[in-house]
Every structure is written in structure tokens, then in C-alpha cells.
Amino acid sequence: MIDFTFVSPTKLVFGKNAEDKLKETLLSFGYKRIFLVYGGGSIKRSGLYDKVVKQLNDGFEWIEKSGVRPNPTIDFVREALEVAKGFKPDVILAVGAGSVIDTCKSIAASYYYSGDPFDFNLKKAIPQKSLPVGVILTFASAGAEMSDSCVISDDKSGIKAGFNNDLNRPVFALESPELSYSVPAYQKAAGISDIMMHSLERYFGASSSLQLSDDFALDVIKNTMEAGKRCLENSTDYEAHAALMLDSSLSHNGLTGIGKKAPFAVHPLEHALSGYRPDITHGAGVALIYPAWANHVFSLDIAKFARLTERVFGKRGADARETAIIGIRLMREFFASIGMPTSFEEVGLTKEDVPNLVSLATGNGTRVIGLTPQPLEQKDVEAIFVSLLAKEAC
């Protein structure tokens, strides 16, 4: 176990009608000027917008900006940043899920910065100060409500990139599982996949003996799969939606990787896909790539892959290698069973797209991805992407 400092300052208000506690939560922090940011019309159709506005109209000064899209863009951040600087809010309120929250994090981190907001994502600068961000979470997916990450896309360059900083962590998150009842099944499935991948990525980081975070990670993965299946079968199963929402938060707040280094591999590979093609849902992309990545690297850490198979699926083969292979197959089958893609063909990508994807993922061959079980060089990235061209990939 390595030395570490663990930070998770987000105040989590969880349960039925948690959104009704917005006013008291804002007052508890002393916030009076609120910049409300959200996506499209879903929060208006659900009635959530009216609940939020009613509370904001009771003693707060506030403005709003809507229109955040999935795979949020730096252009929107730049526009919203100008609005924020004109209004001078005490807090930015994100009402939505990962895309809205990451947008608000980018606005907040850039508020006191004189350069371009995308500088942080390009690793040209590190934020030194940030506006606070509060969250009303609408469904379980990216875990952005408690994470230190912020992922934004630039459509002009095709670059989708994230940066990590503790200033990105929201100061509060109001989580009502019932808000996620009306989320379409495909979005829920993509959210399930993303939640799982946050802990899968951390699990495969180099471990010492008795690495507690590995056990945390495997339990979150298994719980997410079980809760996710129930959510898809019954859109009003409160306990399942509650479990999934909590899995989302705990899978990406650092807990499942505490005490180890766990640089992500699957996520940056996926960022090339949805940066290149913004219509590809991020959660679907990581579900697509994981089995291909696992097949490429598993022989370098057979024991860890085998342990996952035994703990998550309760299966075992004739030896550790066979057990590892069984787990990769079962994970792919799980993703397929909830409607996630299993080949490039299903998301409209062809062999002609591979060179561009490899270039985006590796920065034109200038960087490697991940560390364990191996760092991925340009040839590895190409091999993983090529393996996904087959109709029956992996």
C-alpha cells in the first residue's frame, strides 16, 4: 500500500425527495447567489425544475443557463463562463448527471483563471482556486457528483480529455433515487457500465497484499450489476435505484482505489471514440472497449482477472488462466445483456476510422495509456481497436 491523502468533502444528502432540501442546504453554506445549469427539457418534464425554482425564488438571487449536451463541449463552457463572470455567483448549481456536473466543474475551475478553460484538460495549467459546485443528481452514471475529475470535449479538434483536481469535488450532492425512475433504459444501461468501469479501472491498478480497496471495488462492481439489472427490469424499484445511485457516488470518489496508483486505461481509449464521434454515449463506449482491452492484457496479470471472475461471477475454470478468460467473456455477455454494443459496427465505426482513433487516443503516438497490467503504446491501442472491427468482437 502506498502513502496517500484521501479527500472526499462532498456533503451527501440522500433519500426520498432529497431535492426538497435544496434551500436549507444552500443556506447552510451561506450561498445567496446561485447560477443554475442544466441540460435539456427532461428536468422540466419531470417537475424537478419547478421544485428547484420554487426554492430559489424563496430568498435567493439566481440566473440559469440550459443546453448542456451529452459529451459536453468546451464551447458551452466558454459561453457559460462569461455569464457566470457577469453574475458573480456564490455557487454553481448543477441539476443533472455527469455531463452537466462536469460542465459546472469546468466553469467553476475557470472562473478565477485568465486563460482558456480547456487549458486544464490539455494539462497546460492547474487550477488554483475554484467556485463551489453543488449538485442535484438526476440519475446514476458518471459519479461526477463526488469525484475530482472533469471531462470535456472539443468538437473542433476531436479531443476529449479530463483533468483531476480536488477543487473539482462538489461541496454537496442531493440524491433522490426516485428522480432516476424516468431515465430511458439505454441511458440507465450506459450509466451502469460507467459506474462499473470506474471501479474496474481502479481494481486493475497495482495492488499489494490485503489491498482493502480491491475488495471495495469488487463489491461495488457486483452490487452495481445486481442493482442495475433490477433497475432495468423494474423502473420503480426504489431499493435498486437507491443502490445504483450510491454505487455511482462511491465508485468514483476514490474509495475503490484508496492506497494504490490506478491510472485509467479504458476511459482514455473511450474518450477517443466519443471525442471523435460525440453521438457515442460514454458508458456504451467503455462497455464496448473493456473486453477488448482485457483480452489484450489479461495474460500479464492472470491472478487478478481470475479473482474478479470468482468474486463477481462465482465461477472458476480448470486453472487461473481459464478462470480469467471466463470472467472476460461473462463481463462482455453482461454488457450485451443490458443493451451495450460489442463491436465497432454497432456504433457506426469502420476500419477507416481506426487511424484517427489511434491518433486521438495516443496524441499522435506521443503518449502511452495506463500502467497496469501494461502501458498501452500506439501498437497496443491499434490492436485493441482493430479487434473491435469483427462483428463478434472479442
Side-chain angles (χ1 to χ4, degrees):
M1 187 173 302
I2 65 170
D3 297 344
F4 65 90
T5 299
F6 181 66
V7 176
S8 189
T10 309
K11 179 179 181 178
L12 177 59
V13 181
F14 190 99
K16 293 183 177 181
N17 301 312
E19 69 275 15
D20 291 342
K21 298 180 180 178
L22 174 62
K23 179 182 177 180
E24 65 182 81
T25 303
L26 291 171
L27 291 175
S28 73
F29 284 96
Y31 301 143
K32 289 289 189 180
R33 296 175 65 82
I34 320 300
F35 183 21
L36 168 64
V37 179
Y38 58 97
S42 61
I43 70 166
K44 292 185 176 180
R45 290 190 297 272
S46 70
L48 176 58
Y49 177 82
D50 291 338
K51 283 188 172 185
V52 170
V53 167
K54 181 178 180 181
Q55 293 175 80
L56 293 181
N57 282 337
D58 190 13
F60 299 94
E61 295 179 69
W62 65 281
I63 59 169
E64 66 176 74
K65 185 167 178 59
S66 63
V68 178
R69 71 164 208 203
N71 290 317
T73 68
I74 194 62
D75 286 341
F76 184 95
V77 170
R78 291 172 182 138
E79 292 175 11
L81 179 60
E82 292 306 308
V83 176
K85 287 183 175 179
F87 179 65
K88 297 180 174 56
D90 298 326
V91 64
I92 303 176
L93 177 62
V95 180
S99 295
V100 174
I101 301 168
D102 277 2
T103 296
C104 292
K105 289 179 179 182
S106 183
I107 299 166
S110 306
Y111 187 79
Y112 297 103
Y113 176 62
S114 60
D116 186 72
F118 209 53
D119 287 350
F120 300 130
N121 301 78
L122 295 176
K123 309 299 190 294
K124 293 180 177 180
I126 297 172
Q128 303 299 317
K129 186 179 180 181
S130 179
L131 276 175
V133 172
V135 173
I136 298 179
L137 186 65
T138 53
F139 71 98
S141 57
E145 64 274 7
M146 292 185 76
S147 80
D148 69 349
S149 66
C150 173
V151 179
I152 301 292
S153 295
D154 177 13
D155 286 352
K156 294 182 179 67
S157 65
I159 294 173
K160 178 179 179 179
F163 71 97
N164 297 82
N165 191 293
D166 283 329
L167 290 173
N168 287 335
R169 297 185 188 274
V171 292
F172 68 81
L174 310 183
E175 300 188 17
S176 172
E178 292 169 302
L179 292 179
S180 61
Y181 285 178
S182 61
V183 174
Y186 186 82
Q187 282 185 279
K188 282 185 184 178
I192 291 163
S193 303
D194 199 17
I195 295 166
M196 290 170 59
M197 195 54 57
H198 290 144
S199 284
L200 281 165
E201 298 265 38
R202 290 177 168 92
Y203 171 73
F204 285 109
S207 302
S208 59
S209 61
L210 300 177
Q211 191 85 48
L212 182 60
S213 57
D214 282 358
D215 292 318
F216 288 158
L218 292 173
D219 285 340
V220 168
I221 294 162
K222 186 174 181 179
N223 190 268
T224 300
M225 294 169 72
E226 293 173 354
K229 277 283 196 181
R230 281 178 51 180
C231 288
L232 292 172
E233 291 165 359
N234 182 353
S235 63
T236 58
D237 183 334
Y238 180 83
E239 291 302 326
H241 284 79
L244 194 65
M245 192 164 271
L246 190 56
D247 287 333
S248 169
S249 297
L250 297 185
S251 188
H252 206 21
N253 74 337
L255 184 66
T256 60
I258 195 169
K260 61 192 291 190
K261 291 183 179 179
F264 287 10
V266 175
H267 271 74
L269 291 175
E270 193 290 320
H271 289 167
L273 267 64
S274 52
Y276 181 68
R277 279 271 308 279
D279 59 306
I280 295 175
T281 303
H282 171 67
V286 294
L288 169 63
I289 290 172
Y290 171 79
W293 167 81
N295 273 317
H296 189 79
V297 304
F298 84 93
S299 61
L300 299 174
D301 200 346
I302 288 173
K304 178 157 276 194
F305 278 92
R307 185 184 178 204
L308 183 149
T309 304
E310 293 175 7
R311 281 283 301 277
V312 173
F313 295 103
K315 302 291 184 180
R316 183 177 297 174
D319 55 25
R321 181 181 180 84
E322 184 178 326
T323 302
I325 293 171
I326 289 171
I328 297 170
R329 174 178 57 80
L330 291 175
M331 193 67 77
R332 180 180 182 274
E333 289 176 357
F334 172 80
F335 287 136
S337 76
I338 62 173
M340 293 293 95
T342 59
S343 71
F344 271 1
E345 182 181 59
E346 293 179 57
V347 294
L349 293 170
T350 69
K351 64 181 180 180
E352 285 74 24
D353 298 311
V354 169
N356 288 328
L357 296 173
V358 172
S359 178
L360 285 169
T362 64
N364 295 316
T366 62
R367 61 173 176 263
V368 297
I369 295 172
L371 287 177
T372 54
Q374 73 171 75
L376 304 176
E377 299 178 357
Q378 190 169 10
K379 60 181 176 59
D380 300 299
V381 173
E382 183 176 11
I384 290 169
F385 286 158
V386 167
S387 75
L388 288 164
L389 291 171
K391 194 167 186 179
E392 294 296 328
C394 309

